[in-house]
Amino acid sequence: MAGELPFESPLVKLREKIQELEQFGMEKGIDFNEEIARLEERYKQLEEEIYSNISPSQKMHLARHHQRPTSLDLITLIFENFVELHGDRVFGDDLAVVGGLAKLNGTPVTVLGQQRGKDTKDNIARFFGSAHPEGFRKALRLMHQADKFGRPIITFIDTKGAYPGITAEERGQSEAIARNLLEMAKLHVPVICVVIGEGGSGGALALGVGNRVLMLENAIYSVISPNGAASILWKDASKADQAAEAMKITAQDLLDMEVIEEIIPEPKGGAHRDYEITASAIKDGLIRHLEELSLMNPDELVEDRYRKFRKIGEFEGGAPKESPEKAEELIIDSTLVGND
């Protein structure tokens, strides 16, 4: 197994034992088929036990796996005729955000995504997928273009967060993110967002205001990265695993809270095990949701997006809801108290 994580070590050791037994049998001419078959069965059982009980912290490590497919990997496998477009027409071109024109099953779309590097040099050039303001402004330029020509928008989210350096702050990082939130809410075309790896902080949300938000099975999505949360709560970023367990960042947690609409299954062991199976599952989900959204007119799409985000945070329990009449009385009483 390539790129195995610590919790996968029992599988690695068992696979090595099977390979050693096969090699020894070939060299010595001894038949170990029965023993190998027994170990293969044990391997399948252990694989099922491990991957059916992955903890939030383990999912965090899967989401950050260096071999996990990037936005460009998936764009290449899912879409046809992709043409990348560059620049924000204000400052420059941010390689941490990629985007352009493509076709999804024959339908013209605009596709955007945060892009991590494939090696150290590429990661440095792309700021490890953490965008500067010009990256968000490039994305917004392409979204406005899509809105003008009636093309659906698909975004891939995969970032620990927006770039936190002084250069980004000097160029208006917070304004660029806020502007994207505002403008995405008003788009008159279908918007589908897919969290493919780590969706962290405002950097993720700047591409995340969609009619539908989907997540890969082992992706994570949170208001702050587990490392950042650990730094704030315990003054120790090394406690990221502990923070991940408490933050409700997994796809299942977010589906239960209705933050997302669908969990897209991954190959056993994670998306990095088979890019094509992962891409095929995402493509099926995109086509299905796009067909549903295409039945809405522009005003209905805006209203649908508004209602999706307005309902986030609603919960049952706590103090009973007051009647409208009682609520009005409370408002009047509080006003009188304030005047006193």
Side-chain angles (χ1 to χ4, degrees):
M1 294 172 65
E4 65 275 357
L5 295 169
F7 70 90
E8 297 174 302
S9 60
L11 286 173
V12 176
K13 291 177 181 177
L14 187 54
R15 174 54 60 191
E16 289 175 350
K17 186 174 181 180
I18 292 171
Q19 291 172 346
E20 288 174 3
L21 201 58
E22 289 174 337
Q23 184 67 25
F24 185 77
M26 290 176 59
E27 291 175 355
K28 302 298 181 181
I30 303 174
D31 185 2
F32 288 116
N33 287 340
E34 187 174 335
E35 178 66 12
I36 290 172
R38 187 182 66 80
L39 291 176
E40 288 283 6
E41 184 62 30
R42 173 56 186 151
Y43 183 90
K44 291 179 182 178
Q45 293 174 355
L46 185 60
E47 188 178 48
E48 184 63 31
E49 290 172 10
I50 290 175
Y51 293 130
S52 62
N53 295 286
I54 301 177
S55 69
S57 61
Q58 290 169 341
K59 287 195 173 187
M60 176 185 72
H61 292 293
L62 278 173
R64 294 174 172 178
H65 199 286
H66 66 281
Q67 294 177 342
R68 194 170 178 85
T70 65
S71 292
L72 283 176
D73 290 328
L74 295 173
I75 288 171
T76 301
L77 292 169
I78 295 171
F79 301 92
E80 309 96 45
N81 304 327
F82 174 65
V83 178
E84 187 174 356
L85 302 177
H86 299 271
D88 68 342
R89 303 299 186 267
V90 177
F91 180 84
D93 187 36
D94 186 350
L95 298 181
V97 175
V98 297
L101 312 177
K103 288 187 177 180
L104 175 64
N105 202 31
T107 301
V109 298
T110 289
V111 58
L112 302 157
Q114 281 131 348
Q115 178 67 22
R116 295 176 288 106
K118 284 292 191 179
D119 52 36
T120 302
K121 182 179 179 180
D122 197 20
N123 263 317
I124 291 172
R126 297 185 185 277
F127 297 97
F128 294 84
S130 295
H132 281 69
E134 51 269 26
F136 299 123
R137 290 173 180 140
K138 173 170 69 172
L140 184 58
R141 177 178 75 82
L142 297 181
M143 286 189 278
H144 279 157
Q145 183 192 78
D147 199 37
K148 177 179 179 180
F149 292 101
R151 288 193 300 268
I153 297 168
I154 294 163
T155 72
F156 291 127
I157 296 170
D158 187 17
T159 182
K160 292 184 178 181
Y163 186 73
I166 189 170
T167 54
E169 295 299 326
E170 288 173 343
R171 298 201 285 272
Q173 185 71 290
S174 57
E175 188 279 337
I177 293 172
R179 178 69 58 184
N180 276 31
L181 304 185
L182 174 65
E183 297 297 327
M184 287 188 78
K186 299 188 294 183
L187 292 168
H188 290 87
V189 294
V191 182
I192 304 175
C193 309
V194 188
V195 185
I196 61 172
E198 181 173 10
S201 194
L205 197 56
L207 294 185
V209 184
N211 297 89
R212 301 289 183 269
V213 179
L214 319 179
M215 280 183 73
L216 282 177
E217 182 181 359
N218 295 314
I220 60 173
Y221 197 24
S222 58
V223 70
I224 188 173
S225 71
N227 304 73
S231 297
I232 293 171
L233 294 175
W234 299 292
K235 311 298 181 189
D236 185 357
S238 66
K239 292 186 177 181
D241 285 2
Q242 186 177 340
E245 297 289 340
M247 289 173 63
K248 302 293 184 183
I249 61 176
T250 69
Q252 188 58 59
D253 290 328
L254 296 166
L255 183 66
D256 292 342
M257 293 187 288
E258 298 185 351
V259 174
I260 67 170
E261 279 67 47
E262 183 178 334
I263 299 173
I264 300 173
E266 296 184 25
K268 190 169 291 184
H272 59 285
R273 299 293 180 201
D274 195 317
Y275 284 20
E276 292 189 357
I277 289 178
T278 302
S280 178
I282 294 173
K283 185 174 183 178
D284 289 344
L286 291 174
I287 292 171
R288 183 165 18 87
H289 284 283
L290 193 56
E291 287 175 351
E292 295 174 6
L293 293 172
S294 65
L295 301 176
M296 299 182 188
N297 64 42
D299 290 337
E300 288 172 337
L301 287 167
V302 174
E303 180 66 18
D304 174 77
R305 205 175 302 126
Y306 171 81
R307 292 189 179 279
K308 169 186 165 51
F309 283 90
R310 283 293 294 171
K311 74 179 180 181
I312 293 175
E314 291 182 358
F315 62 94
E316 296 180 1
K321 292 183 178 179
E322 301 287 356
S323 66
E325 295 79 9
K326 182 63 175 176
E328 186 176 352
E329 291 175 13
L330 291 172
I331 292 170
I332 293 171
D333 290 344
S334 64
T335 302
L336 292 173
V337 171
N339 287 337
D340 289 343

